[in-house]
Amino acid sequence: MRWPRRAVATPVRRTTTAVCLVVATAVFLATVPLHRDFFDVGVYYGTVNDRIHHNGRIYDYLSPGTRYGFTYPPFAAVSMLPMALVSWPVAVGVSVGLGIAASVLLLRWLAGPVIKREYRHRWFAFVVAGCLFALFEPVRDTFSFGQVNLLLVALVFADARLLATGRGRYAGIGIGLATAIKLTPALFIGYLLITGRRRQAGVAAGTAGAATLLAALVDPGASRAFWTEALWNTDRVGSLSYVSNQSLQGVLARLRPDHPGGGLWLVCVLAVLAVWAYRARAAVRDGDDRAGFALTGLAACLVSPVTWVHHLVWVIPALIVLTDTALSRRPGDRDRRVLSAVCAALYVVLCSSVVWLWRWNSTGPDAFLGANTYVWITLGLLVFLPGHRRRPEDHAPVPAARAVRAVRGGREHVAADAEP
């Protein structure tokens, strides 16, 4: 018996297409984007080696030939101390490996439910999603710098997953650890508070406090230096007006390099936080906690004084929410087409490195629009991100008895599956 050609060819075409996508993505990543030579992991590696082997001070270390040093809270340095026991190639390998692991988890948690609902050939959809994820500029830069951004997003969304799966009593630890490593995720503690998760907010704050206390016990001098000096010295992380700073502070710094922010920045921050609080609470009331977490990531990028392009991995959950909202519309609906087109356009722009066109001159009307493109996208998503109410079956408890319809021989039988 000969199988129809279409039945044989379709899986072959899918496999061939998947292989071609992976190879094309790998070739593009290896040849086209700017490569950062694992600069940030080099700073981490140099800092902990100087501390362990030369009795140096964490916030005095500068990467050779630069004015850049360690800028994270002391707990981040404590958690990186094992790097002093390995060679540089191993440190790079561990950085890449952890980034890949975090990426896989995020794709499973964020994109997985959408793929399982919408696509029959799930493995192929995951391959496509993985390639799109890898091509996203903030993700590319995170790997190229050797940054910790994806790990922080994974820690935060581990708590989001616990809340979504009814295990909220364990939530808060991930957010607390992320906050102790880097201060930006602290806004998620605020999210837990304004949405009524006081216990989880307490766990997160307690975890962050305990981790910070541990770092103070391990290295009291480093903790004193960070909280009294390094935290307030923004020059340590680079110029606020640099085009890679895609935060509200970056916009104001590029408008007025001599007076970057001040009272106007504070007003903008308060306005963004007000919008965030209103929209986040509304999302949770509608049963869309996923959108609430996505909105918090957007707001954190906007209000942080420094949001480098690679920090914009926090935008990924919002793009997935937007995609899911589009796919939840009926095929052929105008809203589905419009939302899909908007999501595709935003993704392409966020992959384009367009802001770097104004790297050498970020003044003038064109620069105000172009050099701040990612800020405008983040702000637009914060204000207009469409959520959608969960279907009742997404949150309904398992009924005591289920009616299961089975078609056998053209006849319908209704069987009641009784459960205590």
Side-chain angles (χ1 to χ4, degrees):
M1 177 178 178
R2 296 181 63 184
W3 292 95
R5 178 177 297 180
R6 183 178 181 85
V8 176
T10 299
V12 172
R13 284 201 297 267
R14 275 195 300 273
T15 302
T16 303
T17 302
V19 171
C20 290
L21 281 174
V22 172
V23 171
T25 300
V27 170
F28 176 87
L29 294 176
T31 58
V32 176
L34 292 174
H35 293 279
R36 317 296 183 174
D37 299 320
F38 301 105
F39 179 83
D40 285 0
V41 76
V43 173
Y44 311 152
Y45 186 77
T47 299
V48 297
N49 272 281
D50 185 63
R51 176 68 183 87
I52 297 299
H53 299 300
H54 305 288
N55 200 29
R57 297 195 297 181
I58 289 174
Y59 297 102
D60 287 347
Y61 175 83
L62 296 178
S63 182
T66 75
R67 58 188 180 88
Y68 298 112
F70 197 81
T71 59
Y72 297 166
F75 178 72
V78 170
S79 64
M80 294 176 185
L81 287 177
M83 294 176 71
L85 304 177
V86 301
S87 65
W88 168 245
V90 172
V92 171
V94 170
S95 173
V96 173
L98 290 175
I100 291 173
S103 300
V104 171
L105 288 174
L106 288 171
L107 282 171
R108 180 182 177 185
W109 295 339
L110 298 175
V114 184
I115 291 173
K116 290 177 182 179
R117 189 189 72 229
E118 297 290 339
Y119 298 100
R120 178 182 175 187
H121 303 288
R122 295 172 182 173
W123 72 268
F124 182 75
F126 270 110
V127 170
V128 174
C131 290
L132 292 174
F133 188 88
L135 292 172
F136 194 59
E137 183 182 357
V139 173
R140 299 192 320 246
D141 275 1
T142 290
F143 276 98
S144 189
F145 275 112
Q147 263 277 348
V148 298
N149 304 313
L150 288 169
L151 294 175
L152 300 182
V153 179
L155 283 172
V156 167
F157 277 86
D159 282 346
R161 183 170 175 80
L162 289 175
L163 290 169
T165 55
R167 293 173 289 175
R169 63 184 179 276
Y170 302 113
I173 296 176
I175 291 173
L177 289 174
T179 301
I181 293 171
K182 197 171 183 178
L183 297 179
T184 302
L187 190 60
F188 286 92
I189 300 178
Y191 173 75
L192 295 175
L193 281 173
I194 67 171
T195 55
R197 281 72 168 262
R198 293 182 179 85
R199 182 182 183 278
Q200 289 81 4
V203 171
T207 301
T212 302
L213 179 60
L214 173 64
L217 294 174
V218 172
D219 194 335
S223 294
R224 188 182 310 111
F226 178 79
W227 297 109
T228 61
E229 299 175 19
L231 175 62
W232 315 104
N233 183 9
T234 57
D235 290 337
R236 289 178 54 86
V237 299
S239 172
L240 293 176
S241 62
Y242 187 46
V243 74
S244 183
N245 185 13
Q246 294 292 303
S247 68
L248 294 173
Q249 180 77 291
V251 174
L252 297 174
R254 285 185 284 276
L255 280 175
R256 301 190 304 169
D258 296 333
H259 304 281
L264 180 58
W265 175 69
L266 182 59
V267 170
C268 292
V269 165
L270 292 175
V272 165
L273 291 177
V275 173
W276 158 73
Y278 173 79
R279 296 223 59 209
R281 287 172 60 87
V284 172
R285 282 197 302 269
D286 288 345
D288 199 355
D289 206 27
R290 178 192 53 173
F293 269 85
L295 290 165
T296 305
L298 297 171
C301 289
L302 290 167
V303 303
S304 174
V306 177
T307 299
W308 302 133
V309 168
H310 50 268
H311 295 164
L312 293 175
V313 290
W314 292 104
V315 176
I316 292 173
L319 292 178
I320 293 176
V321 168
L322 183 60
T323 302
D324 189 15
T325 305
L327 293 175
S328 67
R329 303 292 196 266
R330 293 181 180 178
D333 280 3
R334 181 176 179 274
D335 285 351
R336 181 182 177 120
R337 292 194 298 270
V338 171
L339 289 174
S340 298
V342 168
C343 189
L346 294 181
Y347 172 82
V348 169
V349 173
L350 286 167
C351 290
S352 67
S353 303
V354 63
V355 298
W356 297 102
L357 295 175
W358 289 270
R359 179 177 183 179
W360 306 114
N361 182 10
S362 57
T363 60
D366 61 324
F368 179 70
L369 296 175
N372 303 311
T373 299
Y374 299 167
V375 181
W376 308 139
I377 290 176
T378 307
L379 188 59
L381 286 170
L382 178 68
V383 175
F384 298 111
L385 181 69
H388 68 279
R389 294 179 183 272
R390 294 293 191 184
R391 294 183 294 272
E393 59 267 26
D394 291 340
H395 293 290
V398 177
R402 287 192 302 245
V404 180
R405 292 188 177 274
V407 179
R408 295 175 182 173
R411 299 180 59 190
E412 289 189 338
H413 300 270
V414 179
D417 181 13
E419 295 178 0

